[in-house]
Amino acid sequence: VGRTMDPDGDPHKNSTHDNVGVPPPPDAPWTPAQLVTAYRRRLHIPPHQPLPPTRATLQLLVERHLQYIPFTNLALHTTTTATHDPDPILLEPWQDLADKLLTHQQGGCCLELNGLLAHWLRVGCGYPTVLLVPCFVYAGRERGHHSSKKPRFRTTASHFVVVVGLHNREKEDVLSLSNPNLDYYIVDVGLGEPPMGPLEYTLGKVQTTVEGMKSRLVWDPQGSFVNRQGRRRRCILLEWHVPTSHSTKATKEYNWEPRLQWDVHDAPFVHDPQNALSNLPPTVSSPSLASFAYVIPILRQAQSSFAQKFIACILTREYKVSLSTTTTTNNCGDDDDTLCFRLKRTHRATGDVEITLIRAPAPGREERTDNNSTGSTQEEAVVRVLWEEFGIPLAPGQRLVPPTTTTKKGRQRHPKKATTSKSTSELWEHL
């Protein structure tokens, strides 16, 4: 993205950066007009550019969201020095969430990003249907599941996608099962690398978004089943066409891999040429963003990848930029298992990867001075990267608290896995 700091290198002093939203008056509620203005400025959309409730607008908003509002778990790894309490994940009221993402230019987790986008689509853009659909994430050890190397779906709906209805005037004389004259799309700006555009909510169709990712919706092959809560479910899978583990630049191999799963009864607008879905109710009410508050303790669990690893990510059609922590010796280039922040830029067209390491000193050693040739400490270097690459400024008094654990040599890096109750650990069990 590329930002410029003030001459002293202090990101806090650039309060007039053109990416800053327009805050409401002190102690006053946000108005719809203020939300629209702040969102436009955050996404670099001119104030007079029309944003009608169309598919083209959805495409623009998803792309700009992924580019300018990072997906990040920074709130789990920062603290305010005055209280030493972890910074919050915000779901309500929506005005506080707008302050965080728009006025203060922070990124957010999946719930925050999709939640505020859904609110704006409904209030600021006038889409007739905006529905939050609880999803189950396909996860293994490499995706935040602590007890198995084999990926499966989590049993707790820890994510949601947004289903958006658009008016289709060609269907004005056609009776639709769910809502007349509407076409339905799925949007998601809350994953590390989601499709960069809306997906038609229809089954079996391979859809290619602007960055080249192929996606499709299919019925879950296990069919109808009863879950642990006694609810009968029939699920839809969102699958991505991804390289296999054997794929190389010279010989690329792909297969369809599931990414998300949701119950069709929570979003019955799907179009299936082979099934009229006549047994489903004609309308559904959307759960509130606040109803997903049960996910926050899961994200903060010591077993969660969110607690064990820092991540920030932005996407464009041309590249993906991510910042993450690692203690892998090979990644850091050391023999002392020290904590590194790894800045990774991946060029989509060529697959070329550029990696920059931001290192911390090993205990008992002097502070290194090779972080981006600035002579800065690790925290100062990370703060600089958060601003220059992701547009995230740390507020005065806000401190970065890197994850810590016990490494092979006994040093503290990431949090130890706490002993949890049976009910808590079951949140992370697979089907």
Side-chain angles (χ1 to χ4, degrees), residues 391-405:
I392 300 176
L394 263 62
Q398 189 180 30
R399 292 293 308 275
L400 184 67
V401 183
T404 58
T405 192

Side-chain angles (χ1 to χ4, degrees), residues 141-157:
R141 184 184 295 274
E142 75 287 357
R143 287 187 182 152
H145 192 283
H146 73 290
S147 65
S148 173
K149 292 183 179 179
K150 183 178 180 181
R152 296 180 184 175
F153 284 104
R154 294 176 180 154
T155 57
T156 300

